[in-house]
Amino acid sequence: MSPVYLALSGTAFTFASTVLGAATVFLFRKHIAQRVQRIFLGFAAGVMIAASVWSLLIPAMEMAQEQNMRPCWLPATGGFALGGLFLLALDRLLPCMQAGGRAQESAKSSFARTTMLVLAVTLHNIPEGLAVGLACALASENSAISISGALALSTGIALQNFPEGAAVSLPLKKEGLSNARSFLLGVLSGVVEPIAGVAAVLISGSVTCVMPWLLAFAAGAMIYVVVEELIPEANTGHYSHTGTLSVMAGFLVMMVLDVALS
């Protein structure tokens, strides 16, 4: 079986899971209540923290060790720092930089939050697509074990992508976007996986060495968004413990998915 076909099939499956997760936004016909908003923002933060650790940073260090990079923690450390700095620069360079006026600052804050959330999850999905594509490229001998391993990897990522799709679309709805637009942005955050998967097969020889850096870069971007935007929003107002407990719940759910399916 062609590695390109395998990569496209596997990443299409993971992308479909993201679409289903983003579609949860249609369960809410009206504006989301304040307490429910904190729950969703906290859950999204927990999901992103766990994904950053188990899906990105730990695999980045393991891959660096397998490739005999010395020191093996350098790609994880450097990539993580670059990811955070990239989001910091993006936050500074976003439009609506006009001075004065609380309304203008509020509009800029909302736009920045929306942009960074979508971008962070999108960056996270790129190395996941690359990982599926590389697994399919390694199944060049068409052995049952290699193919089943690639499919198992895509299944694990697909199960992780469902809460991630919801973690994008639901906070965007909270920002005031329509159901359709929130769903579309959630879908677009996952469409990069099939693209990255096929690209990994085509350039499998040259992408392996930079994978640890890409994984850590995505982790740094996600943690920046969590600390800068999601957790503060989840803990505003009364009963802030709701947001805190939601962060813990999201972390536990994603941790179990990552560890059980790794």
Side-chain angles (χ1 to χ4, degrees):
M1 188 178 294
S2 169
V4 173
Y5 177 79
L6 275 175
L8 190 59
S9 300
T11 52
F13 181 45
T14 62
F15 172 59
S17 181
T18 301
V19 173
L20 289 176
T24 57
V25 75
F26 293 109
L27 297 176
F28 300 91
R29 297 184 179 274
K30 299 180 180 180
H31 291 292
I32 306 176
Q34 188 69 29
R35 172 170 277 192
V36 178
Q37 290 175 7
R38 287 196 290 267
I39 291 174
F40 283 136
L41 288 171
F43 188 83
V47 166
M48 293 171 73
I49 293 172
S52 297
V53 176
W54 274 277
S55 295
L56 299 172
L57 287 175
I58 292 177
M61 288 184 281
E62 290 176 347
M63 290 186 68
Q65 191 170 16
E66 291 173 359
Q67 296 174 24
N68 294 320
M69 295 184 179
R70 293 289 185 271
C72 62
W73 48 263
L74 179 60
T77 304
F80 184 88
L82 290 174
L85 291 173
F86 176 76
L87 264 290
L88 175 62
L90 180 68
D91 193 18
R92 297 291 181 88
L93 297 175
L94 285 172
C96 305
M97 301 292 286
Q98 300 166 338
R102 182 172 297 178
Q104 289 175 333
E105 292 180 2
S106 177
K108 175 185 178 295
S109 177
S110 178
F111 178 77
R113 186 179 300 111
T114 301
T115 302
M116 288 194 297
L117 176 62
V118 175
L119 181 59
V121 177
T122 301
L123 288 172
H124 164 251
N125 285 333
I126 291 175
E128 285 189 346
L130 289 172
V132 175
L134 287 173
C136 294
L138 294 175
S140 58
E141 296 181 358
N142 293 329
S143 65
I145 296 177
S146 297
I147 294 175
S148 64
L151 292 178
L153 175 63
S154 64
T155 301
I157 292 177
L159 290 174
Q160 298 169 23
N161 281 357
F162 182 84
E164 288 175 1
V168 174
S169 62
L170 292 173
L172 291 181
K173 180 178 175 62
K174 180 263 177 186
E175 291 297 326
L177 275 68
S178 66
N179 285 347
R181 191 175 180 188
S182 300
F183 170 72
L184 178 60
L185 289 173
V187 169
L188 290 178
S189 72
V191 76
V192 295
E193 285 196 2
I195 298 173
V198 173
V201 172
L202 298 176
I203 57 172
S204 58
S206 58
V207 74
T208 306
C209 60
V210 298
M211 273 294 290
W213 289 87
L214 290 174
L215 291 167
F217 183 92
M222 291 183 72
I223 294 297
Y224 180 92
V225 173
V226 168
V227 177
E228 179 74 10
E229 302 291 347
L230 295 184
I231 288 181
E233 284 291 316
N235 286 281
T236 57
H238 300 291
Y239 307 109
S240 61
H241 60 273
T242 302
T244 301
L245 293 175
S246 298
V247 172
M248 297 179 68
F251 184 91
L252 287 174
V253 168
M254 202 65 187
M255 180 184 68
V256 170
L257 288 174
D258 279 324
V259 174
L261 298 170
S262 61

